[in-house]
Amino acid sequence: ADDSAPDWRSHLDDVMQTSTTFDGETMDTRREMDPEGLSFPTSALFGAAYKAHQSVADEIPWTMPPAEGSLTKREATTAIRAQRGSVKGGFAQRKEVGQPMGLPSITPAKTVVAADESKIQRLEAEMAKKFNEKVSAPMSAIRPARSVEHERAQMTEYLRGNELYDKGDYLAALAEYELAVRVPALRAYVQLNRGNAFKHVHYPKEAVTCYQQCLDETPPDTPLNRQLHASTLNNLGTVHEDQGRMQQALQHYSAALALHPQCHVAAKNRANMHMRNAEKLRAAGVAGVAAPQHEIAFNLYSRCLDVDWQLPIVFRANNVAIRLETRIINGIEVFHCTANLTHVGSKYFDLMTMFLNHCGD
């Protein structure tokens, strides 16, 4: 309702309170004359109150005025008739031509192209050919299981020991290495890894024994043997360094560098020793002696940078690639031998040899 319209309810309340029509005496008299209220019309019963109510109700705008811009009754009727005529005309046209009316110009019709059955047939033929090629492949072309390859190369215990070593189960790794050391072709690499495992569990004497046996198995008569020999000397130096025998550790690091000048791990471990020694001298109050130690360490670090340490060092055992990698034990870097059977066969070793020779040139 409109807020400007008169408040007829409040007006009616005023009339009800001021009129004598609703006093108690008048209402009692009328109830006695007509108990059911059927003989007197509303206007006669309420008198002035009814008339006042009727006059106020006539002035009230009972419906909301039409909104601005809305159609009048005449305009709405005209629009409805026009739509009805358009619909009837469409029905008549469809009935006459026997087909639906064309789409409006704003949405042009799209022509549906029939599927090319020949392409589908070619795809089916190619899939059937590939499936038949896989099914009819000779059994010789299928690679045997990895466990079968391990047994043929006598690498089962050695690979299992390496896996346990990398998982941190050094005692179980030592048990596997104990079996793998029986294979003559793997003995040197197994002894190197055994020494690392003993070093992890703090058995330095056993670690030194394993490293010494590795040196006995690899005389420095070939370039690869010299690399493995120098790597083992580096690991021996780390055992002496752990026990505080710095002079023996320096001797082993120096021997490794003399045998194989590109043994970057030995150079780095020796440089770290000189740096720690310089810090001890400075703490002891003889800072003047620390400068030569720093100079030796810097020269060794520069020597490490000149080495292409990222190039792989690969040995051959039972026609399987043995790769020389590094591990860290007690904060000192050591050499460690790993193997996998991803590349097996002489072709891989021929390519690796050509690659290393090319890098050496």
Side-chain angles (χ1 to χ4, degrees):
D2 192 357
D3 294 339
S4 61
D7 191 355
W8 60 272
R9 292 183 178 85
S10 59
H11 179 68
L12 181 59
D13 292 339
D14 296 339
V15 173
M16 295 280 286
Q17 293 176 4
T18 56
S19 175
T20 58
T21 307
F22 299 96
D23 56 0
E25 184 179 353
T26 305
M27 294 301 295
D28 294 339
T29 305
R30 293 186 178 180
R31 288 194 188 96
E32 294 176 358
M33 296 174 61
D34 186 10
E36 298 181 0
L38 301 176
S39 302
F40 295 92
T42 306
S43 57
L45 182 63
F46 293 100
Y50 177 80
K51 293 180 180 180
H53 172 271
Q54 190 67 31
S55 62
V56 173
D58 293 340
E59 297 175 359
I60 295 299
W62 291 97
T63 57
M64 293 292 293
E68 295 182 2
S70 59
L71 298 177
T72 62
K73 183 177 181 180
R74 184 184 297 276
E75 292 174 346
T77 303
T78 304
I80 293 173
R81 288 177 179 175
Q83 292 177 2
R84 184 169 178 270
S86 175
V87 173
K88 291 180 65 177
F91 274 111
Q93 182 178 358
R94 286 195 293 272
K95 185 177 180 180
E96 180 179 356
V97 300
Q99 60 183 5
M101 295 177 60
L103 295 174
S105 58
I106 57 175
T107 56
K110 295 182 180 179
T111 305
V112 179
V113 182
D116 190 358
E117 296 292 339
S118 60
K119 292 183 178 180
I120 299 177
Q121 293 176 358
R122 286 197 298 270
L123 288 175
E124 291 178 351
E126 292 178 0
M127 292 176 63
K129 181 180 178 181
K130 292 180 179 179
F131 178 78
N132 292 330
E133 289 177 354
K134 290 184 177 181
V135 172
S136 60
M139 295 298 294
S140 59
I142 301 177
R143 180 173 178 171
R146 187 60 58 88
S147 59
V148 176
E149 292 184 349
H150 292 178
E151 293 177 359
R152 291 177 181 176
Q154 297 179 326
M155 301 281 290
T156 303
E157 293 80 11
Y158 175 66
L159 295 175
R160 190 182 297 127
N162 287 345
E163 182 179 359
L164 293 170
Y165 179 93
D166 291 333
K167 290 181 178 179
D169 193 353
Y170 304 113
L171 294 178
L174 285 171
E176 296 293 338
Y177 289 148
E178 187 68 27
L179 299 176
V181 78
R182 301 174 184 176
V183 182
L186 300 175
R187 188 168 295 139
Y189 315 110
V190 174
Q191 292 291 7
L192 184 67
N193 291 1
R194 281 184 72 193
N196 295 339
F198 278 120
K199 194 171 183 293
H200 263 293
V201 294
H202 306 290
Y203 283 89
K205 294 183 180 180
E206 288 77 3
V208 170
T209 302
C210 292
Y211 293 147
Q212 291 289 352
Q213 291 177 356
C214 180
L215 292 176
D216 296 339
E217 293 289 338
T218 56
D221 52 357
T222 62
L224 287 177
N225 282 357
R226 282 195 292 272
Q227 288 184 350
L228 184 58
H229 204 93
S231 302
T232 308
L233 288 174
N234 170 80
N235 290 13
L236 267 173
T238 62
V239 177
H240 292 297
E241 186 177 356
D242 289 339
Q243 294 180 336
R245 297 194 292 265
M246 301 303 174
Q247 191 65 30
Q248 291 85 342
L250 286 174
Q251 291 177 359
H252 283 92
Y253 293 149
S254 300
L257 289 171
L259 185 62
H260 182 58
Q262 292 185 341
C263 187
H264 62 282
V265 175
K268 184 171 67 173
N269 288 341
R270 182 178 173 182
N272 293 337
M273 281 191 61
H274 285 290
M275 291 295 293
R276 286 191 290 269
N277 192 24
E279 294 298 327
K280 291 179 180 178
L281 292 174
R282 180 177 297 179
V286 285
V289 190
Q293 297 290 326
H294 286 158
E295 185 176 356
I296 296 173
F298 292 155
N299 291 334
L300 290 170
Y301 287 139
S302 300
R303 187 172 179 176
C304 294
L305 295 175
D306 296 335
V307 178
D308 293 329
W309 54 267
Q310 72 277 4
L311 297 179
I313 301 176
V314 181
F315 307 97
R316 183 171 182 171
N318 289 346
N319 208 23
V320 176
I322 305 292
R323 179 169 175 170
L324 191 64
E325 297 181 354
T326 60
R327 299 290 188 271
I328 296 178
I329 305 175
N330 300 329
I332 306 176
E333 195 167 1
V334 298
F335 284 100
H336 192 81
C337 293
T338 62
N340 60 62
L341 293 178
T342 303
H343 304 287
V344 179
S346 59
K347 183 178 179 180
Y348 169 76
F349 291 100
D350 295 339
L351 293 176
M352 181 59 66
T353 303
M354 294 174 58
F355 173 74
L356 294 177
N357 292 335
H358 176 73
C359 293
D361 297 338

